[in-house]
Amino acid sequence: HAGPLRCSNCLRCVPKDKAIKRFTVRIMAESAAVRDISEASVYQAEYVIPKLYFKIAYCVSCAIHSHVVRVRSYNDGRNRAPHSSCVLQGRQKDPAIVVADDAAAA
């Protein structure tokens, strides 16, 4: 069993491997506020506003409700393979998996 996580939206207890996890990076202030801050600043140098880093975990129902993921059919829901966009972005497989696939093919 995987350790439990809490959904960031409804606080439901979800297994770690079943939770939909997203990592988001946001700027602390909006672009208009950044301009106001830079104009009011005493320092002439460009001040870099820090970013906020969030790791968000959703339960399945909250992820579907907030359009993080789409609803899939029963058979497609069981498919654990990475989405085609992951392959298009050039993400590489783990070398151990590649060796195992080559051995199985031979």
Side-chain angles (χ1 to χ4, degrees):
H1 294 282
L5 288 178
R6 290 291 186 161
C7 174
S8 299
N9 192 26
C10 67
L11 299 178
R12 179 179 290 166
C13 200
V14 187
K16 186 176 181 179
D17 59 344
K18 189 174 185 178
I20 291 95
K21 295 172 281 295
R22 295 291 182 260
F23 191 77
T24 58
V25 180
R26 292 184 184 168
I27 299 172
M28 278 191 180
E30 298 175 357
S31 59
V34 170
R35 188 174 58 247
D36 293 341
I37 291 169
S38 62
E39 289 174 359
S41 178
V42 176
Y43 302 107
Q44 297 298 324
E46 190 69 27
Y47 177 72
V48 179
I49 294 180
K51 295 180 181 180
L52 297 172
Y53 298 92
F54 296 107
K55 186 163 187 181
I56 302 172
Y58 293 103
C59 64
V60 175
S61 58
C62 286
I64 291 170
H65 183 73
S66 60
H67 303 289
V68 174
V69 294
R70 290 183 181 174
V71 179
R72 297 193 292 182
S73 68
Y74 178 77
N75 293 331
D76 289 341
R78 294 190 162 284
N79 184 6
R80 302 287 292 178
H83 193 264
S84 60
S85 65
C86 294
V87 176
L88 294 176
Q89 291 176 0
R91 296 182 187 163
Q92 296 179 353
K93 286 186 176 180
D94 184 16
I97 295 173
V98 173
V99 171
D101 289 343
D102 293 340

